[in-house]
Amino acid sequence: MNATEHAALLEGTLVHDDIASVLDERTLAILERRRRTAVVRRRGWLVRRMLLLADILGLSLAFALAEIIIGPAGGDMGRVNTLGELIIFLATVPVWIVAAKVYGLYDHDEERADHSTADEVVAVFHLVTVGSWVLFVGAWVTKLAYVDFVKLAVFWLSAIGLVVLARAGARGFCRRRLTYQQNTVIVGAGDVGQLVARKLLQHPEYGINLVGFIDAAPKDRRPDLEHLTLLGPPDRLPAIVKLFDIERVVIAFSNETHESTLDLIRSLKDLDVQVDIVPRLFEIVGPSVGIHTVEGLPLVGLPSLCFARSSRFLKRTVDLVGSACGLFFLAPFFVVVAVWIKLDSAGPVFYRQLRMGAGDRTFRIYKFRTMAADADERKAEYAHLNKHAENGGDGRMFKIPSDPRVTRAGRFLRRYSLDELPQLINVIKGEMSLVGPRPLILDEDEFVHAWARDRLKLKPGMTGLWQVVGRTDIPFEEMTKLDYLYVTGWSLQNDLSLILRTIPAVFRAQKAY
C-alpha cells in the first residue's frame, strides 16, 4: 500500500495521524509482519495444513502400532508382507484426507473463534469407524489383501486416539504462531458490543486480536476496555478492513437501521473477512438451536425444556459409567491426597457443604478440604476481600483471590480443581451429574429467580459451561445465563464436548480460587 492509498483509507477513519498511537503492540506486530510478507498467510492457511499433517501422522502411527502388535496379515487368501501393507496404506491416505475434508474437519477453525479438538471427537470417531469398515469390506470384496479383524480393531482404536491427540497438538502449535491471530473489529460499541469484547479478551486461546470498535455514536467504554480504539463510523468499515487487515467482523447491535446494517454486511462480500452476527434474543439462543426455513425465511427453533425419559436415562447411564470408572482409577490418588491433607493441617479429609440440587432439593457436596478447619467461622472476617464485591460489584458470589484461609495443600488442589474430584461420589448417589449447572450454595441460590430457576431442571454438574469458559471470573448473572443455555440446549454430544474441553481449561490453571 503506497502513501496515497494509505492516506485515502485513513481519512475519516481515525482522528490520529499516527497509527501506532492508537493500536496495541500485538496489532502493530501483526500488521508489520504481514506488510513484510509478499503473500499474506492467515489462520485458515496455517491450521488446514497443520491438521492435514496431524491426520497423516495419527493414521501412520496407528498403522505402525497395528503392525508392531499384530504383525503382517495372513490367511487363506495368502500372506501380505509388511511392505505390501505399507503400500496399500499409503495408497489410501489421500482417500482418508478427502473424507476428512468432506466431514468438515479442516474448515471450522477460521469460522468459529472457540472451535477446538473436543468439538471434533465425534466426527473423528465416525470418520475412522466408517473408513475402517470400508477398508475391511473393500479388501474382502476385491481379494486384494487379507485384513485381520483383530489388527483392524487395533488400528481403529489407536487411530481414533492418535488422530485426536495429533490434532490437539497441531492446534497447540498453531496458537503460538502470529499467523493464528485474527485482527477483529466489533461493530457497535454499546452494552452488547462491549460485552462481546470483554468475553473475547478473557480468552486469548481463541486467537482473536481486538483492534477496536466501529460506531458512529458509541457509549462510554468500560474501564477494562478503554485501551480499545474507536476506529470510526460504520460507513468506513470496508476501508478499515483493508487498512488494518481485518479478518473478522462482529456485528453487535449498533444504532444503525436494519437496512443500513444489511448494506454494511453486503459491502464486505468482496473482502476476505469472516462476519459474525450477534442474534437478537442472544440470551436464549444456545449452540443447540436448529435453523429451518419457510419460503426462504430462516426460523430459529428453540428446543423444549421437557426432557424425554430416554434422554434422562442416557445422561444417567453416562454419569454412572463415568463416575464409577473415575473412582476406580483415581482410588490410589485419593489415598495420596488424603494423607497429604492430614499431614498439612488439622481437620477432616473431606469437606461437606449444603448445596441446591435439581428440583430445589438440597444435598451435601463432597470436596477435598482445602481450607483450615475453622474457615467457615472466619468467613465474615475476610468479607471485605470478596473478589465479586470489590469496587461496588456483585457480592452474591463469595470468592477471595489468595484466600488466607486456604492451606498449602489446598492451594495446589484448587489450582487444578483436584478438590472437586470427590464429587464423583455425589454423581454415583444421583445428586449430581458429570456435566450440568453450577452447584450453588444456599446463600447464592436465593438470588436466582423466575426463568433462571429452570437451570435446576437438570442436576448440578462437576463441570459445565461455567467451568470451560470462565471459571471464577464469570459474574453471577452471566453464570446463571450460561446454566440456562446449557439446560435449554442439552445434548449428549454437548456433554461429551464439555468434558473434553474441561481438561485444557483446568490445566491452564487460571482464575481458580
Side-chain angles (χ1 to χ4, degrees), residues 319-371:
D319 286 342
L320 282 173
V321 173
S323 57
C325 292
L327 286 172
F328 177 79
F329 289 108
L330 291 172
F333 176 76
F334 276 37
V335 173
V336 172
V337 172
V339 173
W340 187 18
I341 292 173
K342 294 297 289 185
L343 293 176
D344 184 56
S345 63
V349 170
F350 294 108
Y351 173 72
R352 298 180 65 203
Q353 187 180 47
L354 200 62
R355 300 290 179 103
M356 183 59 71
D360 290 325
R361 292 187 296 272
T362 60
F363 69 100
R364 291 196 176 273
I365 197 171
Y366 291 92
K367 300 177 71 173
F368 283 126
R369 182 176 59 84
T370 59
M371 289 187 174

Side-chain angles (χ1 to χ4, degrees), residues 138-154:
W140 182 74
V141 170
T142 62
K143 312 294 184 184
L144 290 177
Y146 174 79
V147 180
D148 183 272
F149 189 79
V150 176
K151 187 174 185 177
L152 185 67
V154 172

Side-chain angles (χ1 to χ4, degrees), residues 9-27:
L9 287 174
L10 192 59
E11 182 182 356
T13 301
L14 294 169
V15 296
H16 301 74
D17 293 327
D18 182 9
I19 298 178
S21 67
V22 294
L23 298 180
D24 58 32
E25 293 181 1
R26 185 167 61 170
T27 301

Side-chain angles (χ1 to χ4, degrees), residues 90-165:
L90 292 176
T92 63
V93 168
V95 180
W96 283 101
I97 300 305
V98 172
K101 176 69 175 178
V102 172
Y103 272 77
L105 291 174
Y106 300 124
D107 302 324
H108 296 315
D109 290 83
E110 195 167 22
E111 302 167 0
R112 305 173 188 173
D114 65 340
H115 188 71
S116 68
T117 305
D119 300 315
E120 300 174 342
V121 172
V122 173
V124 170
F125 174 85
H126 196 274
L127 170 66
V128 175
T129 301
V130 171
S132 298
W133 275 106
V134 169
L135 179 64
F136 178 80
V137 173
W140 182 74
V141 170
T142 62
K143 312 294 184 184
L144 290 177
Y146 174 79
V147 180
D148 183 272
F149 189 79
V150 176
K151 187 174 185 177
L152 185 67
V154 172
F155 171 80
W156 170 68
L157 284 172
S158 57
I160 293 172
L162 291 170
V163 168
V164 169
L165 289 175

Side-chain angles (χ1 to χ4, degrees), residues 148-320:
D148 183 272
F149 189 79
V150 176
K151 187 174 185 177
L152 185 67
V154 172
F155 171 80
W156 170 68
L157 284 172
S158 57
I160 293 172
L162 291 170
V163 168
V164 169
L165 289 175
R167 282 179 155 256
R171 286 194 169 92
F173 171 84
C174 291
R175 284 169 179 158
R176 290 190 292 270
R177 308 271 79 78
L178 201 59
T179 305
Y180 188 82
Q181 300 294 319
Q182 287 186 319
N183 285 339
T184 301
V185 294
I186 298 176
V187 179
D191 292 334
V192 176
Q194 294 189 42
L195 176 64
V196 173
R198 185 182 65 79
K199 287 180 177 291
L200 291 176
L201 289 174
Q202 282 184 322
H203 294 276
E205 70 273 15
Y206 291 170
I208 298 297
N209 180 46
L210 276 181
V211 178
F213 291 102
I214 305 292
D215 205 327
K219 294 186 78 171
D220 291 338
R221 272 162 287 169
R222 300 158 43 111
D224 55 342
L225 300 178
E226 289 180 346
H227 66 286
L228 293 177
T229 306
L230 181 64
L231 298 170
D235 59 0
R236 298 297 303 168
L237 181 58
I240 293 170
V241 168
K242 296 176 183 177
L243 178 62
F244 298 114
D245 194 20
I246 300 299
E247 299 176 54
R248 184 179 296 268
V249 175
V250 181
I251 309 295
F253 300 178
S254 68
N255 293 321
E256 301 298 309
T257 65
H258 176 76
E259 291 75 14
S260 297
T261 303
L262 285 177
D263 290 340
L264 183 66
I265 296 173
R266 288 165 180 156
S267 70
L268 302 174
K269 65 181 178 62
D270 294 327
L271 303 176
D272 185 12
V273 62
Q274 170 70 33
V275 178
D276 296 333
I277 302 174
V278 179
R280 299 286 177 181
L281 306 178
F282 64 90
E283 294 92 342
I284 59 172
V285 179
S288 299
V289 300
I291 297 180
H292 54 284
T293 60
V294 175
E295 293 187 359
L297 176 67
L299 302 176
V300 177
L302 300 180
S304 171
L305 262 179
C306 297
F307 298 98
R309 290 184 179 180
S310 57
S311 297
R312 291 186 180 274
F313 174 78
L314 187 60
K315 185 171 177 62
R316 180 59 181 155
T317 300
V318 172
D319 286 342
L320 282 173

